[in-house]
Amino acid sequence: MEVPVPAGSARVLAKAEWENPCGSIKDRTAFALLCEVLADCDDPRGLHLVEYSGGNLAAPLSVLCGRLGVRLTLVLSEATPGDYVDELRSRGAAVDLVDREEGFLGVMERARELSGTGRLLYQHRSQANLWMHRISTGAEVVEQLGEAVPDRFVASVGTGGTLVGVLSALGERHPGVRGVVVTPSELPYGSDEPPNGRPKYAGSGGLGNGIRQPFVLGAVDRMDGYRTVSRPRAISLMRQCLDETGMRLGSSAAANWRTALDVAAELGEGATVVTVFPDAGSPSEWAEAGR
Ligand SMILES: Cc1ncc(COP(=O)(O)O)c(C=O)c1O
C-alpha cells in the first residue's frame, strides 16, 4: 500500500501482513519451520517440537501442530497475556513461562535447555525462516513494487528473518537497496547491556549481552542504519496512525511506519522507501493505546 507522506518526501510503500490466517507475518515463519522438520520425518505423530516466541509465532505453531497431531512445547515470557497463553494451551501446546526480567534471551535459553526433550525449531538460526521471507514475503514485495525501485527496506527485527529475507529478494532485482534495522530503545540491536524486563514494542528487540542476531550480522554490509523506537512511543504512534490515516497498526508496524517516514524525509522526493506492517496489534496493545 502507498503510505501518505508530506510534500518533498520520498515515497513510502508498505506490505500489510495482518490478513495471514493467524493475523501476523509470523504465520510464514511457522509454516517454514514446520516444513523444514517435516521434510525429513516419516511420521509426524512421533515428533516433539520445542520453540520460543515473543508472541506471534506461538499462535500459528500451535494451530498447525494441533492439526498435525504433533506434540509442541512453547517457551514464552511471563509477560505474555494470560488469555493468549490459555488459547495456546487449548490447542494442546504445553507452555513454559520464563521470568520477565530474563528478557527474550532468557526465553531462548530456556528453550535451548528443553531441546534435550524435543527438537528445537530455533527461529533465530533456521535457514527456513530466512528462506521463506526471501521466496514468499520478499518475492511478493518485488512483484508488488512493479516499476518502483526501492532505495531502503525498513523493518523491525526480532530474528531479522523478515528484514534480511526480504532484503535479499529485493537485492537480486535492485542491487542498490539497503536495509534499516529497527529495534526497541529499551534494548537495541547489539546492546552490551544485560537483558531486561522493561516492556518493548511487539516481537522485536536486541538480545542483550552484546549478542547480535545472526541473520543481521551476516548482512551488515547491506545495512544503512540502526534506529530505535521506545514502547511508549510505538503505542502513541499506533494512536496517531489510526487517527491520521484510519489504519490499525500493531506496535512494531507503528515503529516501522514512523521510521520509514523519517528515512523518506531524509532521502527526499524521487526516492522510494519500502516497509512492512507485521500485524494490526493485540488487544493488550490497543487497550494501552486507549482505542
Ligand atoms: C509483531 C512482530 N513484528 C516484528 C517481528 C520481527 O520479525 P522477525 O523475527 O522476522 O525479525 C515479529 C516477530 O515475532 C513480530 O511478532
Side-chain angles (χ1 to χ4, degrees):
M1 60 174 71
E2 183 98 39
V3 175
V5 292
S9 165
R11 274 178 99 184
V12 174
L13 299 168
K15 182 159 179 61
E17 284 287 307
W18 49 72
E19 287 190 12
N20 289 314
C22 291
S24 91
I25 195 162
K26 297 300 272 198
D27 287 13
R28 298 181 191 256
T29 314
F31 183 65
L33 295 173
L34 286 178
C35 285
E36 190 176 38
V37 169
L38 295 174
D40 60 14
C41 166
D42 292 332
D43 184 359
R45 289 167 303 182
L47 281 173
H48 175 202
L49 302 179
V50 177
E51 184 58 343
Y52 53 91
S53 169
N56 277 325
L57 181 68
L61 278 181
S62 69
V63 168
L64 291 172
C65 286
R67 288 194 193 158
L68 289 165
V70 169
R71 190 174 157 209
L72 174 68
T73 299
L74 291 164
V75 184
L76 304 166
S77 163
E78 240 177 28
T80 312
D83 47 357
Y84 186 78
V85 173
D86 291 345
E87 215 174 295
L88 301 172
R89 288 187 171 134
S90 75
R91 295 181 190 130
V95 181
D96 198 282
L97 298 175
V98 173
D99 187 335
R100 73 173 67 202
E101 294 306 318
E102 292 181 33
F104 200 59
L105 192 60
V107 171
M108 283 172 74
E109 273 165 8
R110 175 79 184 128
R112 277 204 292 255
E113 280 163 29
L114 291 177
S115 68
T117 63
R119 178 164 166 178
L120 180 65
L121 297 173
Y122 213 170
Q123 52 177 312
H124 279 72
R125 295 220 174 252
S126 162
Q127 289 303 309
N129 176 10
L130 202 55
W131 188 242
M132 180 55 88
H133 285 298
R134 187 170 183 164
I135 64 162
S136 71
T137 332
E140 290 167 29
V141 173
V142 168
E143 190 194 320
Q144 290 161 2
L145 279 175
E147 296 300 306
V149 178
D151 295 283
R152 298 286 182 276
F153 177 59
V154 173
S156 278
V157 164
T159 65
T162 305
L163 175 68
V164 180
V166 172
L167 191 60
S168 300
L170 286 172
E172 280 170 30
R173 176 79 65 92
H174 308 286
V177 67
R178 291 289 173 269
V180 178
V181 179
V182 190
T183 44
S185 326
E186 293 84 359
L187 194 62
Y189 170 76
S191 169
D192 289 328
E193 300 291 317
N196 63 63
R198 291 164 66 196
K200 301 163 186 78
Y201 73 75
S204 311
L207 297 170
N209 296 343
I211 300 169
R212 291 168 165 74
Q213 283 86 336
F215 299 149
V216 181
L217 196 56
V220 276
D221 53 327
R222 288 183 274 151
M223 298 304 159
D224 183 66
Y226 298 80
R227 315 262 176 142
T228 58
V229 177
S230 71
R231 160 96 185 188
R233 179 134 195 266
I235 298 288
S236 94
L237 287 166
M238 287 170 66
R239 219 172 13 243
Q240 186 192 339
C241 184
L242 180 62
D243 296 347
E244 284 179 11
T245 71
M247 275 190 301
R248 289 179 82 83
L249 302 184
S251 60
S252 70
N256 286 351
W257 173 63
R258 184 63 255 171
T259 307
L261 289 177
D262 291 346
V263 171
E266 290 159 23
L267 292 178
E269 219 161 336
T272 299
V273 177
V274 178
T275 191
V276 64
F277 295 153
D279 72 10
S282 64
S284 58
E285 285 177 323
W286 282 111
E288 199 177 328
R291 292 290 192 278

